[in-house]
């Protein structure tokens, strides 16, 4: 595969969407062909799965293992339908969340079995890992303070407790320590422009953009 898979990760409101847009504009200005996608919801099937995963369901809670399997199903479809073909065509793919989200949210957040998560990630990706993962590190409180609207506007996962989101944050920290060649931490609390410049520098160094 000749393209590059660049993943953006972090807690709610860390600035992924903002930075992916800026990164896309920058790469395109260099004449690079870019695809922007996300998980969950990067395919037609995934859009349905995203709705099922994120809509509020107070009266009929989604079981933790069901949630895990739905994220894995979304990923399997995304890898086959979008990621592999576009990488094979030489595209740069900017992907909002990938396997580390499942480890952080379902593993550290929900406390599900890590080896089960790794097995499902392997099945869903058939071994496709990112060339680079940018972890936008912001405090959970900072991320939530950036989210517009009140608590009623938050989706099913965002509505989890602060303790849950702190465990997710801890998960990202552990993942970055365990995979230094793949995951690069960027201080997401800096200004949008500064974060964007830092990401450009990392892409130049790591991917020779
Ligand atoms: N999930 C996902 C799992 O549990 N398991 C999995 O396996 C996967 C794949 C997906 C949800 O699913 C969960 C995780 C999530 O809960 P999502 O679409 O990723 O949801 O939604 P969020 O993470 O909530 O993404 P958001 O769009 O809310 O946040 P972003 O994209 O991180 O942040 P962004 O860029 O939209 O910015 C938020 C606000 O902050 C401002 C922006 O202007 C915007 O208003 N902002 C800044 N303000 C100040 N300084 C900066 N540097 C700023 N950068 C952005």
């Amino acid at each position: 595969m000749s393209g590059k898979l660049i993943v953006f990760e972090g807690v709610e409101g860390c600035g992924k969407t903002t930075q992916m847009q800026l990164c896309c504009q920058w790469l395109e200005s260099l004449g690079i062909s870019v695809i922007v996608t996300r998980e969950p919801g990067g395919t037609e099937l995934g859009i349905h799965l995203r709705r099922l995963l994120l809509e509020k369901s107070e009266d009929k809670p989604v079981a933790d293992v069901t949630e895990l399997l739905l994220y894995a199903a979304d990923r399997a479809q995304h890898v086959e339908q979008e990621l592999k073909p576009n990488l094979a065509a030489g595209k740069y793919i900017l992907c909002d969340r990938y396997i580390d989200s499942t480890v952080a949210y379902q593993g550290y957040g929900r406390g599900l079995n890590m080896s089960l998560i790794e097995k499902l990630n392997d099945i869903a990706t058939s071994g496709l890992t990112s060339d680079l993962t940018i972890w936008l590190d912001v405090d959970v409180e900072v991320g939530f303070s950036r989210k517009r609207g009140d608590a009623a506007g938050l989706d099913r996962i965002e509505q989890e407790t602060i303790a849950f989101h702190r465990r997710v944050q801890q998960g990202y920290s552990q993942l970055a320590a365990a995979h230094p060649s793949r995951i690069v931490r960027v201080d997401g609390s800096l200004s949008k422009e500064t974060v964007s410049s830092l990401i450009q520098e990392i892409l130049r160094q790591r991917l020779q953009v």
Side-chain angles (χ1 to χ4, degrees), residues 6-11 13-28 34-37 93-97 132-138 146 184-203:
I6 303 165
V7 174
F8 289 72
E9 291 277 3
V11 296
C14 65
K16 294 176 282 94
T17 310
T18 306
Q19 291 305 325
M20 285 174 62
Q21 278 169 3
L22 293 170
C23 189
C24 177
Q25 286 165 13
W26 174 65
L27 289 170
E28 285 180 342
V34 185
I35 299 280
V36 175
T37 186
I93 301 178
L94 305 183
C95 185
D96 192 336
R97 300 192 179 281
L132 180 67
T133 295
I134 302 286
W135 168 38
L136 295 174
D137 182 13
V138 296
R146 290 176 180 173
V184 181
R185 175 191 175 274
V186 174
D187 183 351
S189 66
L190 302 170
S191 72
K192 293 176 189 178
E193 296 73 22
T194 306
V195 174
S196 177
S197 303
L198 288 170
I199 290 171
Q200 290 177 15
E201 192 50 38
I202 291 164
L203 264 62

Side-chain angles (χ1 to χ4, degrees), residues 127-190:
L128 178 68
T129 53
S130 70
D131 292 283
L132 180 67
T133 295
I134 302 286
W135 168 38
L136 295 174
D137 182 13
V138 296
D139 287 345
V140 167
E141 289 80 1
V142 171
F144 274 106
S145 73
R146 290 176 180 173
K147 308 281 290 188
R148 294 186 196 91
D150 56 13
L154 299 178
D155 67 35
R156 192 178 62 83
I157 304 248
E158 288 167 344
Q159 281 189 331
E160 279 296 333
T161 61
I162 284 288
F164 171 89
H165 290 288
R166 289 212 179 102
R167 289 197 298 278
V168 171
Q169 176 73 330
Q170 177 67 13
Y172 279 119
S173 174
Q174 302 271 340
L175 278 163
H179 303 282
S181 59
R182 179 173 64 80
I183 303 177
V184 181
R185 175 191 175 274
V186 174
D187 183 351
S189 66
L190 302 170

